[in-house]
Amino acid sequence: MSNQVYNTYLLRLADDTLILGQRLSEWCGHGPILEEDIALSNIALDYIGQSTNVYKQLASLVNDGRDEDAIALTRMESEYVNALMMELPNGDYGTTIARQYYYSSFYLLYLEQLKNSSDHFLAGFAEKSIKEVKYHLQHATDWILRLGDGTPESHSRMQHAVNGLWPYLGELFHDDETDMEAVKEGWGVSREALKTAWTNRVNAVFAEAGLTVPSEAWYHSGGRKGSHTEHMGFLLAEMQFLQRAFPGAKW
Amino acid sequence: MQNELTTHDIWSWLSEVSDPEIPVLNVVELGIVRDVSISNDIVHVVITPTYSGCPAMRTIEEDIVEVLEEFGVKNHEVTTVLFPAWTTDWMTDEAREKLRMEGIAPPQKGSADKGLLMGRLRDVKCPRCGSTQTSMISQFGSTACKALYRCADCLEPFDYFKCI
């Protein structure tokens, strides 16, 4: 197994959930109703916990003196390799839900394959995370149905949200050289191979919600190479503030 | 002081360590302590988190070390493992009954909630009056491991320790 490929693979996995977890945590104290405030904060905590587990594994492999906190919180923007969708602002509640639905429906399929990885850590990580992501997907699905099939206002906002995020999905389903190498070596998951099952699931849920599935093929990319949107710097400024101001600070 | 120290002693000491978020349960009956062993005069304790982001893990580790030191164990090592992944099925019957007495509906047995994604939820009994006329308010509650329910008979809201 190539160490560089494996480390990059871990970093992407962890960065996706760290950045999305950071974004979601912005809803803490601002949720539209108390139950949703609690739900999104819980989901954010699951994501950050999952990323911690992967950063820990990475820290033990690179062994350069950085622990999981240092890896998570002290890199430069161009060193983060999350998919762009994760760093986009939360927007209105429809946009937050659309992203949760898109990501958790993808992520569950991805983890279900990763569970069969020949790599002991990745298989175990997937088995643990699946239990949590099932609840995330159920939560997002409930809201897609409720808002899509709700009032004219909620329907139009939900449709607007799923359209707006659609061009960020391509990055999740793209296999680049790292993914292809990982698949070839038997421990990685082909993202492209998940597309059919994912499309079928989304079509069924959107039909029930009365939403039109967007069809645009072009998509934004760059996150895996460290080229981010203009939103990323602001997110990092907030997330990294404490470790930048007080290096090595511990709770 | 460590003459004839057995893993049995250690298990019983660890039963004194309560979960910081659900203090009515100890970390052994909750299934968080996975293994205890002694080799070369070092006591090894293996723990696993309930949820990936469980914020109580560090406190639990510190509490375990404190108890070991209280009983004179100087050489110890607490390791956290992720797999096999924790499941509510590991919770003992005594633990379930303690939860119920605390007003928290215990998790049902058979963790794989197949109906979860289909929106089919199993009957959850009200821990207060035993009624099954209950409904879920939110799948997420006061801690990562609990959902929020309401009883239609006694009208009380309650926590349900959800299955994973």
Side-chain angles (χ1 to χ4, degrees), chain A residues 35 38-39 42-43 45-46 49-50 53 68-69 108 120-121 124-125 127-129 131-132 134-139, chain B residues 49-53 55 82-83 85-87 111 113 116-117 119 121 137-141 143-144 148 162-164:
Chain A
E35 287 79 8
I38 293 169
N42 266 303
I43 295 170
L45 185 62
D46 285 343
Q50 289 167 13
N53 291 334
E68 63 273 19
D69 288 333
L108 184 58
H120 185 62
F121 170 78
F125 166 80
E127 194 183 328
K128 175 98 196 142
S129 305
K131 291 167 179 266
E132 296 155 13
K134 273 186 183 168
Y135 281 104
H136 304 171
L137 179 57
Q138 190 204 16
H139 171 262
Chain B
T50 53
Y51 279 73
S52 298
L82 293 183
F83 28 83
W86 185 82
T87 160
S111 60
D113 257 337
L116 182 66
L117 293 173
L121 296 164
I137 298 172
S138 175
Q139 197 63 267
F140 298 89
T143 65
L148 196 56
K162 64 194 183 199
C163 298
I164 65 165

Side-chain angles (χ1 to χ4, degrees), chain B residues 13-83:
Chain B
W13 300 338
L14 295 181
S15 300
E16 306 290 311
V17 177
S18 53
D19 180 84
E21 289 191 335
I22 311 166
V24 67
L25 297 184
N26 68 59
V27 294
V28 172
E29 60 193 354
L30 196 47
I32 287 174
V33 180
R34 299 316 305 155
D35 192 37
V36 171
S37 59
I38 304 168
S39 59
N40 302 326
D41 280 340
I42 301 173
V43 171
H44 298 270
V45 178
V46 178
I47 56 177
T48 195
T50 53
Y51 279 73
S52 298
C54 178
M57 284 312 280
R58 195 168 294 177
T59 311
I60 290 173
E61 191 178 323
E62 285 166 6
D63 290 351
I64 287 175
V65 168
E66 197 180 307
V67 163
L68 291 176
E69 291 189 344
E70 226 169 79
F71 283 95
V73 177
K74 287 191 186 70
N75 301 317
H76 43 69
E77 189 179 67
V78 181
T79 319
T80 302
V81 297
L82 293 183
F83 28 83

Side-chain angles (χ1 to χ4, degrees), chain B residues 112-123:
Chain B
D113 257 337
K114 288 260 167 68
L116 182 66
L117 293 173
M118 307 308 190
R120 286 193 307 270
L121 296 164
R122 291 181 286 183
D123 287 341

Side-chain angles (χ1 to χ4, degrees), chain A residues 30-105:
Chain A
H30 300 274
I33 51 172
L34 183 60
E35 287 79 8
E36 283 307 288
D37 198 297
I38 293 169
L40 290 182
S41 303
N42 266 303
I43 295 170
L45 185 62
D46 285 343
Y47 284 146
I48 291 170
Q50 289 167 13
S51 69
T52 308
N53 291 334
V54 179
Y55 289 131
K56 267 188 195 158
Q57 169 76 354
L58 188 59
S60 72
L61 294 172
V62 295
N63 202 17
D64 60 1
R66 290 183 301 165
D67 65 1
E68 63 273 19
D69 288 333
I71 297 177
L73 300 171
T74 60
R75 277 174 293 151
M76 301 300 286
E77 179 181 316
S78 60
E79 294 171 301
Y80 284 84
V81 287
N82 55 285
L84 297 177
M85 190 168 79
M86 312 308 174
E87 68 201 49
L88 297 177
N90 287 325
D92 64 7
Y93 211 65
T95 306
T96 293
I97 291 300
R99 173 167 53 193
Q100 283 312 106
Y101 181 72
Y102 280 153
Y103 185 60
S104 49
S105 55

Side-chain angles (χ1 to χ4, degrees), chain A residues 16-216:
Chain A
D16 275 356
T17 44
L18 174 72
I19 300 301
L20 183 54
Q22 171 70 17
R23 268 294 178 228
L24 274 190
S25 69
E26 292 170 14
W27 276 108
C28 185
H30 300 274
I33 51 172
L34 183 60
E35 287 79 8
E36 283 307 288
D37 198 297
I38 293 169
L40 290 182
S41 303
N42 266 303
I43 295 170
L45 185 62
D46 285 343
Y47 284 146
I48 291 170
Q50 289 167 13
S51 69
T52 308
N53 291 334
V54 179
Y55 289 131
K56 267 188 195 158
Q57 169 76 354
L58 188 59
S60 72
L61 294 172
V62 295
N63 202 17
D64 60 1
R66 290 183 301 165
D67 65 1
E68 63 273 19
D69 288 333
I71 297 177
L73 300 171
T74 60
R75 277 174 293 151
M76 301 300 286
E77 179 181 316
S78 60
E79 294 171 301
Y80 284 84
V81 287
N82 55 285
L84 297 177
M85 190 168 79
M86 312 308 174
E87 68 201 49
L88 297 177
N90 287 325
D92 64 7
Y93 211 65
T95 306
T96 293
I97 291 300
R99 173 167 53 193
Q100 283 312 106
Y101 181 72
Y102 280 153
Y103 185 60
S104 49
S105 55
F106 160 81
Y107 196 33
L108 184 58
L109 290 171
Y110 173 87
L111 291 171
E112 279 167 351
Q113 293 304 312
L114 193 65
K115 202 172 67 172
N116 306 321
S117 171
S118 59
D119 179 68
H120 185 62
F121 170 78
L122 287 173
F125 166 80
E127 194 183 328
K128 175 98 196 142
S129 305
I130 281 172
K131 291 167 179 266
E132 296 155 13
V133 176
K134 273 186 183 168
Y135 281 104
H136 304 171
L137 179 57
Q138 190 204 16
H139 171 262
T141 306
D142 285 350
W143 279 100
I144 286 274
L145 296 173
R146 191 160 161 186
L147 296 174
D149 192 19
T151 64
E153 166 88 8
S154 77
H155 172 81
S156 101
R157 284 205 190 199
M158 202 62 244
Q159 185 67 57
H160 181 74
V162 295
N163 291 350
L165 288 169
W166 184 262
Y168 290 91
L169 283 165
E171 204 174 24
L172 292 183
F173 289 99
H174 175 65
D175 287 329
D176 72 357
E177 59 275 22
T178 299
D179 297 292
M180 287 190 280
E181 187 64 25
V183 172
K184 206 173 78 187
E185 291 178 13
W187 50 267
V189 173
S190 166
R191 296 164 167 271
E192 279 172 26
L194 306 173
K195 193 72 188 275
T196 309
W198 182 83
T199 306
N200 292 340
R201 184 175 285 184
V202 171
N203 285 347
V205 170
F206 277 26
E208 197 183 333
L211 295 168
T212 307
V213 182
S215 56
E216 194 181 348

